Amino acid sequence: MGKSGRQKQALRPNGSKFGGGKEEGLVNGVRVRMWDFEQCDPKRCTGQRLARRGLIKAMNLKQPFKGIVLSPNGTKSVSPADGMIMAKDGLSVIDCSWARLDEIPFKQMKSGEHRLLPFLVAVNPVNYGKPSKLSCAEAAAACLAICGRRDAAETVMAEFGWGEEFFKINAELLDLYSECVDSADVVEKQNWWLKKVEKEAEDRKLGNCMYEEYDSEEDEPKMDKFGNYIIDGDGEEEEEEEEEEEPKLDKFGNSIVD
């Protein structure tokens, strides 16, 4: 009989086992932890998958943690300024369902430096295309990338077939955030980017409306032989037509030919 899933040791991306002296939950030198509330489907849970692979380590609520905690309880956005804290004390995510956040005892998770993630788009199969609905793996990877550890972020996302897509969809934002100085700078750049995208969408909509005005042949603008647009004004032609000479008549009403 083959070994059960629990008897098998998970392999890390480099092919080594996390047993035998290797620290569980160590990704490219960064400690990654997780509070797991078992609210998600185990088959789809990215946090549990990373735990099975030895890339993340679960901990209980009473366990002390001094690193960066990605949590709705945060009052500041994660930023490159948090890189030193993360390098020293690690990173932790909260594995729970977005639909059951009210069940999470956030007040009991006071340890660590709690941070919010800035605007990013999810690509996980459950919430693909939804803003800010990141999975545990996406959240951890985003924090790592923003704090200057893109190598560790890519190691985390390499565990998923859609992992590379996360970096493609959020490429501009991740680059923008990783170049910031602190939390306030991240928020400022986030708001600037959102306004820019909103304006681009409005411009595209306006441009489409202008083209829609000429959907039918009757509405197409008229052009002269030189390629200039002809604008009708009150039903009169703007181009002046040469007046034809009226024929000269003698006193008997006969035309006089010169």
Side-chain angles (χ1 to χ4, degrees):
M1 292 178 64
K3 294 181 179 180
S4 66
R6 290 185 179 181
Q7 290 175 316
K8 293 179 181 179
Q9 284 185 303
L11 294 178
R12 299 183 66 182
N14 60 10
S16 65
K17 296 178 180 179
F18 61 74
K22 296 289 184 178
E23 183 180 345
E24 181 182 359
L26 192 66
V27 182
N28 294 38
V30 180
R31 291 184 179 87
V32 184
R33 300 292 183 262
M34 170 179 70
W35 279 300
D36 184 7
F37 291 91
E38 300 182 349
Q39 293 180 342
C40 307
D41 181 349
K43 295 180 180 179
R44 295 183 177 183
C45 181
T46 61
Q48 290 189 30
R49 179 168 180 171
L50 291 174
R52 290 193 297 270
R53 296 286 289 169
L55 293 172
I56 200 168
K57 184 177 181 180
M59 60 183 181
N60 58 53
L61 288 175
K62 295 181 180 180
Q63 187 172 342
F65 182 76
K66 297 180 180 179
I68 300 298
V69 180
L70 298 179
S71 161
N73 271 359
T75 57
K76 298 196 301 185
S77 172
V78 68
S79 75
D82 296 315
M84 292 184 66
I85 299 175
M86 191 178 70
K88 180 183 177 182
D89 299 310
L91 159 70
S92 179
V93 295
I94 299 173
D95 189 3
C96 61
S97 169
W98 282 99
R100 299 170 62 184
L101 286 176
D102 57 335
E103 300 176 19
I104 305 302
F106 288 111
K107 292 182 179 180
Q108 295 182 39
M109 292 181 284
K110 295 181 180 180
S111 61
E113 301 292 331
H114 289 243
R115 296 288 186 268
L116 297 166
L117 277 173
F119 181 90
L120 290 163
V121 179
V123 300
N124 65 78
V126 177
N127 290 307
Y128 185 89
K130 294 181 180 179
S132 304
K133 291 295 183 71
L134 306 188
S135 64
C136 281
E138 290 171 310
C143 184
L144 288 163
I146 292 170
C147 292
R149 293 304 308 268
R150 180 64 179 253
D151 59 324
E154 291 179 353
T155 297
V156 168
M157 297 310 292
E159 292 296 318
F160 307 92
W162 41 268
E164 189 175 347
E165 184 74 5
F166 176 74
F167 295 111
K168 289 181 179 179
I169 294 294
N170 294 288
E172 186 178 356
L173 285 169
L174 289 174
D175 288 344
L176 192 66
Y177 299 148
S178 63
E179 294 172 357
C180 291
V181 177
D182 53 23
S183 176
D185 195 14
V186 168
V187 174
E188 182 181 346
K189 293 295 192 301
Q190 167 195 264
N191 294 340
W192 169 83
W193 188 88
L194 289 171
K195 288 180 181 178
K196 183 192 74 165
V197 172
E198 184 179 359
K199 185 178 185 305
E200 289 173 351
E202 290 177 354
D203 289 345
R204 284 195 298 271
K205 184 178 180 181
L206 179 61
N208 290 335
C209 289
M210 291 176 67
Y211 284 117
E212 287 171 3
E213 291 180 6
Y214 304 116
D215 280 345
S216 64
E217 292 184 1
E218 292 181 2
D219 290 333
E220 291 182 3
K222 298 176 182 179
M223 305 176 73
D224 62 19
K225 62 182 178 181
F226 301 108
N228 300 313
Y229 289 108
I230 300 173
I231 302 175
D232 295 332
D234 299 328
E236 294 180 3
E237 295 292 336
E238 288 198 4
E239 291 186 0
E240 294 185 3
E241 297 180 359
E242 292 186 11
E243 295 182 3
E244 296 183 5
E245 270 191 48
E246 295 183 4
K248 298 178 182 179
L249 303 175
D250 61 18
K251 62 180 180 179
F252 301 105
N254 299 314
S255 296
I256 301 174
V257 181
D258 293 335

